[in-house]
Amino acid sequence: MIKKLNIVVISIAAFLFGNLYAQSDKILLKGECNLDNVSLLTSFLNDRSNIEISIKSSEGGESEFNNHAIIILCSNEYLKLSELEIVNLQANILNGSLLVIDNFNSDYTFSIFLKKILPEYSYSQYPLNLVLKNNPFKINFGNINLNTRQIYLGEKLRILAIHDKSLLNEMNNESFEHTKLLATVIFNHLIGY
């Protein structure tokens, strides 16, 4: 009996240790995204949370949105999506993916896009400190001036859109506040917060 219990305990410990560093997800980048700053973001997440994220730049195609936990559309790339891409993106968001729209310019075109992608949901405009109640990287929200829109499905953030400013372009090595912000959004999404 004791021998079987020891085998079970060792098996559970091996399973947990093996999965400790097993978090690995993908970010899909579509549009003219700052790849250096996305690499800075993934390094930041890997160093501070042991979450390894791979980056894939968009090559086009019907099913490119599938199998990506995070999708980042840079600038007005959301306006260039085909109807089939919008349907695939909608399915991915409803199945749990996070969409970040970095630097949209027009409220009017953005609201039309949202009506196409999630017609039954409306967007919110909460301050970032309310959106990111779980703040594992200690963001100083006073140093961040971003105008955002959010869509929640249930209680989970599924779309974060940044208006008239590129979060990816704001990242740099001197001030990690913008890096910590996007890292927190991704971290919270991946842990289910």
Side-chain angles (χ1 to χ4, degrees):
M1 177 73 173
I2 298 283
K3 187 176 183 180
K4 288 182 182 180
L5 183 61
N6 286 339
I7 291 172
V8 170
V9 169
I10 290 171
S11 298
I12 291 172
F15 175 77
L16 291 175
F17 182 76
N19 286 320
L20 185 62
Y21 297 103
Q23 181 72 35
S24 177
D25 287 295
K26 299 177 193 173
I27 295 177
L28 175 68
L29 302 173
K30 191 162 178 69
E32 296 176 22
C33 302
N34 187 326
L35 293 177
D36 292 335
N37 287 350
V38 174
S39 296
L40 176 70
L41 170 71
T42 58
S43 296
F44 182 90
L45 269 169
N46 191 20
D47 292 345
R48 288 170 177 78
S49 64
N50 290 324
I51 294 176
E52 190 175 309
I53 297 180
S54 61
I55 304 167
K56 180 183 177 200
S57 291
S58 172
E59 299 166 0
E62 297 174 358
S63 62
E64 73 177 343
F65 294 117
N66 297 341
N67 301 320
H68 291 90
I70 297 106
I71 301 160
I72 300 177
L73 301 177
C74 297
S75 296
N76 288 321
E77 193 65 29
Y78 68 94
L79 297 174
K80 300 174 186 173
L81 297 178
S82 70
E83 291 300 320
L84 186 56
E85 287 175 318
I86 288 175
V87 168
N88 287 333
L89 182 58
Q90 178 187 40
N92 242 25
I93 291 169
L94 292 173
N95 287 327
S97 292
L98 171 68
L99 173 64
V100 177
I101 300 174
D102 192 40
N103 192 19
F104 77 90
N105 296 326
S106 167
D107 278 322
Y108 178 72
T109 56
F110 179 69
S111 63
I112 290 172
F113 173 73
L114 290 181
K115 284 182 180 154
K116 282 184 178 179
I117 199 162
L118 294 172
E120 61 275 1
Y121 297 95
S122 60
Y123 69 84
S124 305
Q125 274 186 275
Y126 297 118
L128 288 172
N129 60 339
L130 293 179
V131 173
L132 302 173
K133 295 174 196 167
N134 180 28
N135 187 1
F137 303 120
K138 310 285 188 262
I139 302 167
N140 181 356
F141 290 105
N143 292 340
I144 297 175
N145 182 21
L146 291 175
N147 188 3
T148 65
R149 314 284 190 278
Q150 311 90 24
I151 290 185
Y152 290 85
L153 300 182
E155 305 236 344
K156 305 291 182 196
L157 178 68
R158 290 295 180 235
I159 296 178
L160 176 68
I162 296 100
H163 188 248
D164 283 335
K165 194 180 269 190
S166 172
L167 184 57
L168 289 176
N169 289 340
E170 295 291 320
M171 290 181 192
N172 58 47
N173 287 319
E174 293 111 35
S175 170
F176 277 110
E177 293 304 316
H178 291 92
T179 306
K180 289 193 275 186
L181 174 70
L182 192 51
T184 300
V185 169
I186 290 171
F187 180 80
N188 288 344
H189 175 73
L190 293 177
I191 65 167
Y193 189 82

